């Protein structure tokens, strides 16, 4: 920051001092009714907010760049600055205890960063706004994340391998970590999250633990099921320190911390999340066109945020999934119930964020009134849910805490539609407090007296149109037009002369004014005290209202899914632990929504027993291969979230992981080549998939030479088939790969049918068994307008290439795979001819045999060979 050569004013000296204490943060300096920014901050603000860049000390040789806006616009301008990726410190005028009353100094009252937003005006109601903290322990990595606007605080230990996936799942707005960790910055720099370095001491293990214990007022963290001394605790402590540092006010709503259990959730890595467009589209990064835009039929923001969570964490427990399906089924069979409950829910306010505001003392009278109005809806909602058969619905009904006394307290004290601020008065109902009523009547009586005094005076002194006015400088006054100034009695005291009027006060007026103003002032003071007491009382019940809010969110999501199932014609999938996918007449949830009704061509997805677990899908460009394989993954995921799916019937084997590698994306921004990223992701699939996983691959290997690509795709498919045994859908343009089915027992060929008529191709979008007999790539190129000469030459080259890849009988010239080494030796022993003993060995379920049983089997087989 350039400092001017000449002496600065004390105010600017203070600005620079505060700025120095808050590096890398835009400083919003309160100046009267304005917030002002200086130097580089002013230039940034002018660019982002579109406000005028002016300068302080315009006439000096070194004017200071300056920009500002009225204080009442703070929220909207802050919103823009934070969403543009900046941190901001609010430097307000506060009373200086060292100086005389009324003397102020400027202090930072709050630092606002993307991860520490709490005001509704700055937050997206439908999205969680997490702040995450990462700590590298000796072996594990500690991760903690917090939603400051609701107080939800989670923590877990993870590994370097899973860190990026975990962060992609949490999708934090901001991440804090110890300064100087450039490796981490490189690894997560591509995620849409602000990276905030913190001093290393804020991650000191012992201090972090102590901070948590002090905050929660406990001696150990066992009550929260947290293991002390783990990196997760350090990450959580450092996070809390950051929140205290930025908020600079109490945070009692953060009253518990949960360990995050990853075990019973379906794991989805970052590449898969992106490829499947779960919450954002790949190309435009928009919510519209993603899976969540179809699934989200919630009517509350609490429900919308929970649905985000459900999509990030699909279930893997058969029992839990079925409980959600039971609920969705029961609700969708009762459309009247569904509509009634959704209508009630739509009238509720955001109970989670309201509760947090109440707990932190930020709630207005309106907030309390909103809480009471929301609680008032609960009895009807609870009654609607009573007597339901589904176990989950029963437990949700039981979980609704009516908080009747809380509601009653608010309703008896606060008027139905309270004013925005307490200064206006009139927040507390009349009849609630005798003292307040008396003060109000005194004030009202005084005002009435002043009105009648005006009439009497007007008659007495003979001045028509005598007016009574009020201003802050000299209180109530009488206003006389200049034409009647000569009639003004002597005891009137002149206070002001305007162009056509004169203003006077009188002793009687002052006497009543005192009464009115005193009463008014005392009434407002009393209202404030009474309101604070009520707010503290309600804050004590925050845990109850917060729990009810969570229940409402779940009800909203389940009823939303049921509503969707009914309106979009979805069916309940039968769930199983067998690794199978048998989905009939299924549709892609997003395309089905976007295309005009009936235009989407439904397809069967048949994978696992008895159809074989690997499908190789060929077909021309634009035929629908990617759509089909994504559809299979999306429907599995939807089913595991608890949703019904767009299909006529389905049997879905629960997946432990879903892997999708579909299409190239923004890899270049990560500084890696497309092919390198493709291979890194493929390596990860081959290293972490299991026989319970679902793998979908789209054109793997196309980022390198055709030969390298085919070879890699070929051997990967063999590996997935033989070693991992995962259900796999592989869409490819390499027709050579269709030959794989000759050697892989569990693999089958499918293609997307096209109809060729008079040289024209009609896309049928129908998946049929068998391989595509033609690529049609050149055909599609011709349709796209490639010159005839080029097309003819391409056909010529194609014919030559095809000849090189296949022998005279049409068989591929690629040699058959060798399985495990021992098998290879036996194969050479027996030659390639089929042998019953080989088949027997192949069918042995070695994984499930005891060593003794295996030995016995070996003796028996040797007997056969003798
Ligand atoms: N089952 C279907 N019913 C109707 N339209 C479909 C269907 N499947 C795909 N489409 C349409 O075809 C378009 C292309 O589909 P998709 O991207 O899946 O083709 P592809 O075979 O993977 O093509 P490429 O090989 O060029 O990547 C889709 O955007 C969609 O509009």
């Amino acid at each position: 920051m350039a400092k001017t050569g000449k002496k600065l004013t004390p105010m600017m000296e203070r600005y620079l001092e505060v700025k120095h204490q808050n590096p890398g943060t835009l400083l919003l300096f309160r100046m009267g009714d304005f917030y002002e920014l200086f130097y580089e901050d002013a230039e940034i603000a002018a660019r982002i907010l579109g406000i005028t860049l002016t300068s302080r000390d315009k006439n000096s040789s070194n004017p200071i760049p300056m920009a500002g806006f009225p204080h009442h616009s703070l929220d909207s301008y802050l919103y823009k600055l934070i969403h543009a990726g900046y941190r901001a410190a609010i430097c307000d005028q506060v009373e200086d205890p060292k100086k005389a009353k009324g003397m102020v100094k400027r202090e930072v009252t709050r630092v606002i960063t993307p991860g520490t937003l709490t005001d509704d005006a700055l937050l997206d109601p439908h999205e969680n706004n997490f702040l995450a903290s990462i700590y590298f322990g000796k072996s594990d990595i500690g991760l903690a994340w917090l939603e400051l606007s609701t107080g939800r605080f989670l923590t877990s230990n993870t590994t370097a391998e899973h860190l990026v996936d975990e962060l992609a799942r949490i999708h934090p707005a901001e991440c804090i970590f110890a300064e100087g960790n450039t490796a981490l910055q490189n690894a997560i720099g591509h995620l849409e999250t602000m990276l905030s370095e913190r001093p290393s001491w804020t991650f000191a293990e012992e201090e972090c633990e102590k901070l948590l214990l002090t905050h929660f007022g406990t001696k150990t963290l066992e009550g929260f099921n947290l293991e002390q001394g783990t990196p997760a605790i350090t990450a959580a402590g450092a996070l809390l320190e950051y929140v205290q540092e930025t908020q600079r006010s109490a945070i009692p709503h953060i009253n518990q911390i949960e360990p995050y259990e990853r075990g019973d959730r379906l794991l989805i890595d970052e590449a898969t999340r992106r490829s499947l467009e779960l919450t954002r589209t790949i190309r435009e990064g928009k919510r519209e066109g993603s899976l969540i835009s179809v699934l989200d039929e919630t009517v509350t923001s609490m429900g919308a945020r929970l649905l985000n969570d459900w999509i990030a964490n699909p279930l893997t427990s058969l029992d839990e999934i079925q409980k959600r399906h039971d609920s969705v089924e029961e609700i969708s069979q009762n459309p009247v119930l569904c509509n009634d409950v959704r209508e009630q829910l739509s009238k509720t306010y955001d109970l989670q964020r309201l509760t947090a505001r109440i707990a932190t003392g930020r709630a207005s009278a309106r907030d309390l009134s909103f809480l009471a109005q929301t609680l008032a809806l609960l009895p009807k909602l609870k009654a609607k849910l009573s007597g339901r058969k589904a176990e989950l619905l029963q437990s949700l009904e039981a979980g609704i805490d009516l908080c009747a006394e809380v509601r009653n307290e608010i309703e008896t004290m606060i008027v139905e539609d309270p004013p925005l601020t307490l200064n206006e008065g009139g927040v507390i109902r009349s009849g609630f407090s005798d003292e307040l009523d008396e003060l109000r009547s005194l004030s009202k009586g005084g005002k009435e007296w002043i009105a009648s005094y005006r009439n009497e005076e007007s008659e007495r002194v003979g001045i028509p149109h005598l007016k009574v006015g009020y201003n802050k400088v000299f209180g109530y006054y009488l206003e006389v037009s200049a034409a009647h100034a000569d009639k003004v009695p002597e005891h009137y005291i002149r206070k002001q002369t305007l162009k056509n009027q004169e203003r006077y006060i009188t002793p009687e007026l002052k006497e009543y004014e005192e009464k009115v103003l005193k009463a008014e002032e005392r009434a407002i003071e009393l209202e404030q005290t009474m309101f604070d007491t009520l707010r503290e009382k309600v804050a004590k019940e925050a845990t109850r209202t917060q729990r009810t809010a969570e229940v409402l969110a779940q009800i909203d999501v389940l009823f939303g899914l049921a509503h969707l199932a009914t309106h979009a014609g979805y069916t309940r999938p039968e769930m199983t632990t067998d690794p199978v996918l048998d989905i009939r007449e299924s549709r892609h949830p997003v395309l089905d929504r976007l295309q005009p009704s009936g235009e989407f061509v439904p397809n069967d997805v048949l994978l696992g027993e008895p159809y074989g677990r690997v499908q190789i899908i060929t077909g021309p460009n634009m035929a629908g291969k990617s759509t089909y394989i994504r559809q299979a993954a999306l429907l599995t995921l939807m089913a595991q979230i608890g949703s019904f799916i767009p299909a006529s019937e389905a049997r879905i084997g629960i997946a432990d992981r879903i892997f999708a590698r579909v299409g190239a994306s923004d890899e270049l921004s990560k500084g890696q080549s497309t092919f390198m990223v493709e291979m890194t992701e493929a390596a990860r699939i081959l290293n972490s998939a299991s026989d319970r996983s679902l793998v979908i691959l789209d054109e793997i290997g196309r980022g390198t030479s055709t030969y390298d690509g085919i070879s890699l795709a070929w051997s990967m498919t063999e590996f997935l088939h033989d070693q991992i045994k995962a259900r796999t859908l592989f869409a490819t343009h390499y027709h050579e790969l269709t030959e794989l089915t000759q050697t892989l027992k569990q693999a089958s060929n499918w293609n997307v049918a096209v109809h060729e008529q008079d040289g024209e191709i009609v896309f049928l979008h129908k998946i049929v068994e068998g391989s595509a007999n033609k690529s049609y790539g050149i055909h599609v190129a011709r349709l796209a307008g490639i010159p005839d000469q080029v097309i003819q030459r391409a056909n010529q080259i194609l014919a030559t290439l095809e000849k090189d890849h296949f022998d005279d009988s049409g068989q591929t010239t690629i040699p058959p795979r060798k399985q495990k080494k021992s098998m290879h030796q036996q194969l050479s022993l027996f030659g390639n001819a089929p042998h019953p003993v080989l088949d027997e060995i192949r069918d042995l379920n070695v994984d499930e045999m005891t060593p003794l049983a295996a030995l016995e089997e070996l003796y028996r087989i040797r007997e056969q060979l003798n």
Side-chain angles (χ1 to χ4, degrees):
M1 181 171 300
K3 228 175 159 185
T4 57
K6 84 185 195 42
K7 199 173 169 346
L8 292 167
T9 60
M11 200 276 300
M12 283 314 290
E13 288 284 1
R14 177 72 186 137
Y15 174 86
L16 291 176
E17 197 184 336
V18 179
K19 182 74 190 168
H20 182 69
Q21 291 156 359
N22 294 274
T25 308
L26 300 178
L27 188 58
L28 274 60
F29 214 58
R30 181 72 184 254
M31 305 279 281
D33 283 344
F34 283 81
Y35 279 103
E36 289 182 355
L37 302 100
F38 302 99
Y39 299 107
E40 291 96 329
D41 288 3
E43 283 156 21
I44 294 171
R47 181 164 40 83
I48 293 175
L49 307 176
I51 54 180
T52 316
L53 181 68
T54 60
S55 45
R56 208 179 158 78
D57 284 343
K58 271 192 196 115
N59 300 329
S60 88
S61 56
N62 259 328
I64 301 168
M66 180 186 103
F69 53 79
H71 76 104
H72 53 75
S73 311
L74 179 66
D75 277 351
S76 64
Y77 285 129
L78 263 182
Y79 182 89
K80 288 185 190 158
L81 292 173
I82 300 297
H83 286 266
Y86 289 93
R87 304 155 51 95
I90 308 291
C91 193
D92 267 322
Q93 290 159 318
V94 291
E95 286 227 351
D96 189 345
K98 289 192 204 133
K99 297 209 172 129
K101 200 170 158 39
M103 293 295 279
V104 290
K105 61 174 184 167
R106 290 184 180 80
E107 285 290 348
V108 171
T109 49
R110 214 156 44 114
V111 178
I112 299 158
T113 68
T116 56
L117 305 178
T118 48
D119 298 342
D120 278 0
L122 304 179
L123 285 163
D124 182 339
H126 299 110
E127 303 265 1
N128 285 307
N129 195 72
F130 283 118
L131 167 69
S133 158
I134 305 167
Y135 171 66
F136 282 76
K138 284 183 193 76
S139 50
D140 281 353
I141 297 174
L143 198 56
W145 59 106
L146 165 80
E147 228 287 4
L148 195 54
S149 74
T150 61
R152 190 151 174 243
F153 193 7
L154 294 120
T155 182
S156 79
N157 289 303
T158 186
T159 57
E161 190 201 344
H162 289 120
L163 180 65
V164 176
D165 297 338
E166 290 281 310
L167 287 172
R169 179 179 60 75
I170 300 164
H171 193 57
E174 183 180 1
C175 261
I176 61 161
F177 58 96
E179 61 197 340
N181 193 340
T182 40
L184 177 70
Q185 281 179 326
N186 290 339
I188 64 173
H190 65 287
L191 300 176
E192 284 169 6
T193 177
M194 175 187 255
L195 302 179
S196 300
E197 286 189 88
R198 299 287 297 147
S200 307
W201 61 262
T202 61
F203 284 87
E205 292 180 8
E206 267 180 43
E207 292 306 313
C208 284
E209 196 161 320
K210 262 195 227 152
L211 191 79
L212 289 174
L213 294 175
T214 315
H215 175 79
F216 291 118
T218 50
K219 288 211 171 70
T220 82
L221 293 168
E222 276 164 25
F224 298 116
N225 289 325
L226 292 178
E227 208 185 316
Q228 260 149 292
T230 59
I233 302 291
T234 310
L239 189 146
L240 202 59
E241 192 276 338
Y242 184 63
V243 172
Q244 287 172 345
E245 163 70 18
T246 52
Q247 296 305 292
R248 303 180 187 210
S249 60
I251 39 173
H253 66 305
I254 304 173
N255 50 22
Q256 54 179 328
I257 175 166
E258 298 165 49
Y260 173 74
E261 304 290 350
R262 195 180 301 104
D264 53 357
R265 298 286 181 265
L266 184 147
L267 296 180
I268 314 168
D269 60 32
E270 189 219 345
T272 304
R273 195 174 299 283
R274 229 176 334 112
S275 296
L276 292 181
E277 306 188 303
L278 298 186
T279 51
R280 293 278 176 276
T281 56
I282 298 180
R283 254 188 224 148
E284 291 172 317
K286 285 197 178 144
R287 190 176 196 269
E288 199 50 47
S290 68
L291 179 68
I292 199 169
S293 70
V294 172
L295 291 191
D296 192 358
E297 287 287 347
T298 57
V299 290
T300 71
S301 348
M302 300 176 277
R305 293 196 296 268
L306 182 67
L307 181 65
N308 268 299
D309 259 21
W310 282 21
I311 291 179
N313 299 290
L315 303 172
T316 49
S317 143
L318 180 64
D319 185 48
E320 275 189 76
I321 298 172
Q322 280 175 338
K323 277 185 186 158
R324 286 192 189 166
H325 285 168
D326 287 344
S327 307
V328 173
E329 181 166 0
E330 188 173 347
I331 305 162
S332 55
Q333 283 167 354
N334 192 339
V336 177
L337 170 80
C338 186
N339 284 342
D340 282 359
V341 169
R342 281 162 56 80
E343 200 198 320
Q344 288 293 308
L345 282 173
S346 67
K347 294 181 201 156
T348 61
Y349 288 90
D350 190 336
L351 201 50
Q352 284 169 331
R353 288 184 173 164
L354 262 184
T355 302
R357 278 208 294 282
I358 292 167
T360 48
R362 290 179 292 123
S364 65
R366 282 215 176 149
D367 286 333
L368 287 195
S369 166
F370 292 158
L371 172 64
Q373 287 172 44
T374 304
L375 295 178
L377 296 163
L378 299 186
K380 202 167 166 194
L381 210 54
K382 202 169 165 76
K384 291 261 167 221
L385 288 174
S386 86
R388 297 293 136 212
K389 285 197 219 74
E391 207 181 314
L392 181 56
L393 292 180
Q394 286 173 7
S395 77
L396 290 174
E397 187 262 337
I400 299 178
D401 183 343
L402 299 180
C403 304
E405 12 26 285
V406 178
R407 174 187 159 198
N408 193 31
E409 296 246 19
I410 302 172
E411 281 178 351
T412 34
M413 194 183 213
I414 307 277
V415 296
E416 217 162 86
D417 186 13
L420 264 178
T421 64
L422 282 165
N423 298 344
E424 292 171 48
V427 163
I428 310 289
R429 279 183 193 277
S430 57
F432 180 78
S433 150
D434 291 346
E435 193 185 349
L436 183 65
D437 288 350
E438 204 178 307
L439 288 170
R440 281 179 177 161
S441 81
L442 260 177
S443 142
K444 194 168 165 237
K447 278 182 187 158
E448 279 166 8
W449 179 88
I450 289 171
S452 63
Y453 171 74
R454 182 193 74 92
N455 295 340
E456 283 164 22
E457 277 295 285
S458 175
E459 246 173 61
R460 202 150 52 82
V461 296
I463 303 177
H465 313 302
L466 193 62
K467 280 190 198 151
V468 176
Y470 176 83
N471 71 27
K472 277 189 184 159
V473 185
F474 45 83
Y476 284 102
Y477 56 82
L478 290 170
E479 194 173 273
V480 181
S481 65
H484 299 287
D486 56 328
K487 294 183 193 144
V488 170
E490 264 182 18
H491 69 280
Y492 278 26
I493 307 159
R494 196 173 58 199
K495 291 302 268 183
Q496 200 176 21
T497 304
L498 303 176
K499 198 176 167 206
N500 293 319
Q501 286 98 18
E502 305 232 303
R503 288 175 176 175
Y504 301 88
I505 57 169
T506 69
E508 294 104 313
L509 204 50
K510 281 294 113 183
E511 191 186 318
Y512 270 87
E513 176 188 301
E514 194 120 306
K515 276 187 196 163
V516 170
L517 291 186
K518 267 219 174 110
E520 231 167 38
E521 200 176 302
R522 277 180 52 210
I524 286 173
E525 266 173 25
L526 191 60
E527 285 205 48
Q528 177 79 56
T529 319
M530 283 159 63
F531 175 76
D532 288 346
T533 316
L534 175 69
R535 186 165 57 187
E536 275 164 33
K537 225 170 167 184
V538 176
K540 290 211 175 79
E541 306 300 333
T543 320
R544 286 170 68 197
T545 45
Q546 204 59 277
R547 231 180 275 139
T548 296
E550 281 160 29
V551 170
L552 293 186
Q554 286 189 55
I555 296 172
D556 190 18
V557 176
L558 287 171
F559 275 74
L561 289 177
H563 178 79
L564 173 70
T566 317
H567 288 265
Y570 290 2
T571 35
R572 176 176 183 162
E574 179 197 333
M575 302 306 287
T576 167
T577 49
D578 299 340
V580 66
L581 273 189
D582 186 339
I583 316 179
R584 306 295 168 134
E585 296 181 277
S586 67
R587 310 182 304 271
H588 187 290
V590 180
L591 285 182
D592 185 40
R593 161 80 58 100
L594 296 178
Q595 290 188 358
S597 168
E599 276 198 9
F600 191 86
V601 180
N603 275 306
D604 296 346
V605 183
L606 306 170
L607 210 55
E609 280 303 327
Y611 313 107
R613 56 179 175 262
V614 175
Q615 276 191 12
I616 294 161
I617 302 123
T618 44
N621 295 87
M622 292 294 291
K625 301 182 294 300
S626 310
T627 306
Y628 166 73
I629 63 174
R630 278 189 211 215
Q631 186 172 315
L634 286 173
L635 299 193
T636 306
L637 194 120
M638 280 169 75
Q640 291 187 224
I641 287 165
S643 170
F644 284 9
I645 58 169
S648 62
E649 55 180 313
R651 191 160 167 264
I652 294 184
I654 296 169
D656 63 346
R657 300 191 67 146
I658 292 180
F659 292 95
R661 183 62 188 85
V662 181
S665 48
D666 55 344
E667 292 86 3
L668 290 178
S669 63
K670 280 198 258 175
Q672 290 184 340
S673 83
T674 308
F675 184 64
M676 184 61 193
V677 173
E678 188 179 329
M679 285 302 113
T680 312
E681 287 172 7
R684 168 173 254 243
I685 298 175
L686 300 178
N687 290 325
S688 23
S690 81
D691 59 354
R692 302 268 135 198
S693 306
L694 174 64
V695 179
I696 68 165
L697 300 170
D698 198 359
E699 300 181 36
I700 278 286
R702 88 194 144 147
T704 185
S705 81
T706 311
Y707 289 148
D708 281 0
I710 294 178
S711 316
L712 280 166
W714 186 288
S715 62
M716 279 181 204
T717 315
E718 284 180 351
F719 189 78
L720 281 162
H721 178 275
D722 296 343
Q723 310 280 313
I724 298 176
K725 300 185 167 64
R727 284 164 288 171
T728 305
L729 293 167
F730 193 161
T732 182
H733 284 292
Y734 296 141
H735 283 258
E736 292 80 350
L737 295 185
T738 59
E739 296 296 315
L740 269 166
T741 56
Q742 291 180 9
T743 49
L744 305 184
K745 256 171 114 184
Q746 287 281 332
S748 55
N749 281 320
W750 294 77
N751 74 91
V752 196
V754 286
H755 180 62
E756 215 180 331
Q757 201 175 21
D758 305 330
E760 294 298 318
I761 302 174
V762 182
F763 295 108
L764 301 177
H765 301 305
K766 196 78 195 164
I767 291 285
V768 291
E769 211 163 350
S771 57
N773 54 357
K774 262 179 155 183
S775 156
Y776 295 103
I778 298 178
H779 215 99
V780 173
R782 188 174 62 79
L783 290 180
I786 301 282
D788 270 355
Q789 194 186 341
V790 178
I791 297 290
Q792 276 170 24
R793 177 71 183 135
N795 272 321
Q796 224 177 23
I797 297 168
L798 179 69
T800 322
L801 289 177
E802 281 179 345
K803 222 168 116 216
D804 287 348
H805 280 293
F806 300 97
D807 61 21
D808 293 341
S809 63
Q811 298 290 307
T812 175
T813 49
I814 295 172
R817 79 198 186 289
K818 294 166 187 168
Q819 289 201 330
K820 288 171 197 159
K821 214 172 176 202
S822 56
M823 183 60 89
H824 166 67
Q825 280 155 356
Q826 287 187 30
L827 278 170
S828 52
L829 186 70
F830 294 114
N832 282 341
H835 191 286
V837 169
L838 264 188
D839 285 341
E840 263 196 75
I841 296 173
R842 202 174 285 124
D843 291 338
L844 282 182
N845 193 351
V846 183
D847 288 344
E848 288 184 2
M849 290 172 93
T850 64
L852 194 62
L855 207 58
E856 277 172 6
E857 200 59 33
L858 204 59
Y859 278 122
R860 198 183 56 72
I861 291 171
R862 199 176 63 179
E863 283 298 317
Q864 281 190 50
L865 288 174
N866 287 334

